[in-house]
Amino acid sequence: MRFASLACIAAASACGSTSHAGYVVVTIDARPAVHGATSVTVTLANAGTSRTDTLTLRGTSFPVTFSVSAPGRTGDLAITVDATDATGQVIGHGSAMTMVDAAKAEVMLDSTDFVVNTDYTGDQFPTDDFQASGFQLAALPDGTWTTVFRDGCPQGPCDVFARRFDRAGTPVATQAAMGSNAFVVTAKPTTSVTTPAIASSRDATVVVWNASDPTTATATGVVCRPIDAGGQLAPDQTTIAPEAGFVVSVAAMDGGNFAATWRTTIPPPAADNVDAIHMVVIKPDCTPVGSVVEFEEGARFADFVHRGSVASGGGQTLFAWITNGDLHTTLMASDGTRTPVTPLIPQTATLEVEHARVAAVPGGGFVIAVSWTLKTGTGPGRIDLVRVDTHGALVGSPVTITDQSDGDPFNAESFGLASRPDGSILIVWHVCNATGDSCALSGRFLQLPADASTAPAPVSDTFAIPTTTGGSDKRASVIGLPDAFAVVWSDSSARPPDTSGQAVRARILYPPGAD
């Protein structure tokens, strides 16, 4: 097979008037998240043979073209392209299938994953609590997104960090970092029980976490610290509830405030260590609006109340949590009034709800992703997606996302859910092996129909999210951007640039049919 090129590689517009008889003219284009490419490596395969060439871009922007000549050959021509940056890292990948005698072919380069954390010593991860994953990403309306993560407490006390990126995954300079690196969010050190959650409104971002004083086990609280649109942290963190909190979730409300919810344990003598779901509304500066509200409290020595989640949109805020295997919800209006607590999705004879994540959808209402696990025995679980109307009632039939989710909670299953204004939805989840020491992260796109009485429909098969392989990928969060989704997760591949312990990796993903 002979590989020729038109001036090696050229901008697509430069080759429009040239005769290409005997050549396949290949156009390479790239998603916005593929940026900084300096060369492309092209592999051509036909009839059991292949050839690989690297073409230098020399400052040419995508789309670019090259040509293929294969005299005497017939049949299929497989084209694979990797785009690399100046450091040699692969930053884009795409493939296409055409015929050797075709006039032209097109290859679209999708993004690859990248490391978020800028400190490479020890472990960094969005969360190490399988119950609390899915809440570590937030985005401003222009697509600028912020992710929060924690270190592995190598010296004892722990810190919560954040880093900000634009909609294409390029690091954004912040005042807090005095550059585009990660920065510390915690004003006071905390412990390894801490997991952060984050949400953004039109012009403000708040980080909420369950804090614990490293010097005393009794000094706990749910605390908050705001980050403004320019990336400036408030001078200090604010305690919004002086109580132990777990599985913190926070969502931006339409009026500019935020709703934060968490699970807590009410100690004796008041309740004898029972679980409860608490909520408080906070302003953009983290000042609480009113007092903490209790949604549900477990009966003494009986009910196990856990794993809360919150989303807001269309002037409403939906809270969801699990009590003894049943999914409970309550809907709060903008004036603070709430619907009665409802067991929206009850357990079945063989399955119980293990996790739930909620997201608002355009036109009002919500979607809830529900993870089911077997009550007894072992075996794969299932993730369903349901639609909820503006009255908090179920709409249509559940849509099964996967019937191969990890059904064993001891393997630390978790997942994330996000939607975009155009009705596209992305669910991400991980499945672990029998011992829980190796996990694979997957995703699936869905589209919300315009008909408000119809459930979302899958528009993709299940696909692997990480492009860096060789490790365990788990505990992902996802957020919608103007034209894509951002996903972050914990990665243990120890691949450059972070070769030490766990790292926080991210990827920008575009729904099927996106420009």
Side-chain angles (χ1 to χ4, degrees):
M1 179 182 293
R2 182 167 62 87
F3 184 148
S5 65
L6 301 177
C8 292
I9 197 160
S13 59
C15 302
S17 61
T18 305
S19 174
H20 305 307
Y23 294 87
V24 181
V25 178
V26 182
T27 300
I28 307 173
D29 205 349
R31 302 291 192 188
V34 181
H35 44 77
T38 59
S39 64
V40 292
T41 298
V42 181
T43 299
L44 306 171
N46 165 258
T49 63
S50 65
R51 173 172 176 168
T52 299
D53 292 82
T54 297
L55 306 176
T56 303
L57 291 176
R58 295 189 177 92
T60 305
S61 300
F62 294 112
V64 297
T65 64
F66 66 91
S67 63
V68 178
S69 176
R73 288 186 173 272
T74 60
D76 293 336
L77 176 64
I79 307 171
T80 302
V81 180
D82 285 327
T84 56
D85 63 12
T87 69
Q89 293 290 313
V90 176
I91 59 172
H93 174 81
S95 61
M97 185 68 73
T98 187
M99 302 297 291
V100 169
D101 58 356
K104 60 183 179 179
E106 297 180 351
V107 179
M108 174 63 75
L109 300 182
D110 275 314
S111 64
T112 56
D113 60 41
F114 54 91
V115 171
V116 168
N117 52 286
T118 51
D119 179 2
Y120 303 142
T121 303
D123 290 331
Q124 295 83 32
F125 40 78
T127 174
D128 60 351
D129 181 353
F130 72 98
Q131 299 185 63
S133 66
F135 307 134
Q136 287 77 50
L137 262 178
L140 294 165
D142 67 355
T144 301
W145 53 275
T146 308
T147 184
V148 288
F149 53 96
R150 217 197 68 212
D151 61 8
C153 316
Q155 308 301 324
C158 303
D159 285 311
V160 171
F161 298 84
R163 196 177 183 196
R164 186 164 279 186
F165 297 83
D166 68 12
R167 62 198 290 178
T170 303
V172 172
T174 60
Q175 297 177 35
M178 294 184 293
S180 59
N181 281 355
F183 54 90
V184 177
V185 176
T186 40
K188 302 177 180 65
T190 183
T191 68
S192 61
V193 302
T194 292
T195 290
I198 188 170
S200 292
S201 62
R202 296 199 62 81
D203 53 10
T205 298
V206 297
V207 183
V208 183
W209 66 94
N210 54 316
S212 181
D213 190 333
T215 61
T216 171
T218 60
T220 60
V222 180
V223 300
C224 175
R225 197 173 188 186
I227 310 172
D228 67 20
Q232 178 63 54
L233 282 164
D236 202 356
Q237 62 191 46
T238 300
T239 298
I240 60 175
E243 62 185 34
F246 308 94
V247 195
V248 178
S249 177
V250 60
M253 304 169 68
D254 287 346
N257 289 334
F258 296 82
T261 184
W262 61 91
R263 177 177 65 87
T264 191
T265 300
I266 303 173
D272 225 350
N273 286 325
V274 301
D275 294 319
I277 298 296
H278 284 182
M279 182 279 296
V280 69
V281 174
I282 52 178
K283 297 179 180 179
D285 64 358
C286 288
T287 303
V289 179
S291 57
V292 172
V293 174
E294 183 173 285
F295 288 148
E296 184 166 3
E297 179 181 309
R300 185 176 181 181
F301 304 127
D303 293 342
F304 182 41
V305 183
H306 63 157
R307 298 179 176 93
S309 183
V310 58
S312 190
Q316 297 179 307
T317 303
L318 180 68
F319 300 87
W321 63 93
I322 294 96
T323 300
N324 280 3
D326 300 326
L327 179 71
H328 289 226
T329 59
T330 184
L331 197 61
M332 184 173 73
S334 56
D335 62 2
T337 58
R338 303 188 305 276
T339 60
V341 171
T342 304
L344 187 69
I345 302 177
Q347 60 190 290
T348 70
T350 58
L351 298 170
E352 63 184 5
V353 179
E354 185 69 19
H355 297 271
R357 297 290 180 262
V358 299
V361 294
F366 301 84
V367 286
I368 307 177
V370 176
S371 176
W372 298 89
T373 188
L374 292 169
K375 290 183 176 180
T376 60
T378 59
R382 188 179 80 232
I383 297 176
D384 290 340
L385 188 71
V386 299
R387 188 170 184 175
V388 177
D389 65 18
T390 55
H391 302 289
L394 292 174
V395 174
S397 300
V399 178
T400 296
I401 306 303
T402 177
D403 59 3
Q404 294 298 312
S405 64
D406 190 336
D408 181 359
F410 296 104
N411 281 349
E413 65 178 87
S414 64
F415 64 103
L417 168 70
S419 64
R420 300 197 312 125
D422 66 353
S424 57
I425 297 167
L426 177 58
I427 299 178
V428 297
W429 70 93
H430 77 255
V431 176
C432 298
N433 61 8
T435 58
D437 58 1
S438 180
C439 306
L441 180 62
S442 301
R444 195 171 188 188
F445 288 107
L446 298 95
Q447 182 65 41
L448 192 75
D451 183 355
S453 64
T454 306
V459 292
S460 79
D461 294 328
T462 297
F463 60 92
I465 291 176
T467 58
T468 300
T469 59
S472 185
D473 302 294
K474 56 186 177 181
R475 296 170 190 158
S477 295
V478 57
I479 195 71
L481 307 177
D483 58 347
F485 291 87
V487 184
V488 300
W489 65 92
S490 173
D491 160 75
S492 66
S493 66
R495 299 294 179 89
D498 189 342
T499 59
S500 173
Q502 297 181 68
V504 182
R505 282 193 175 264
R507 188 180 176 195
I508 307 297
L509 292 167
Y510 296 85
D515 295 331

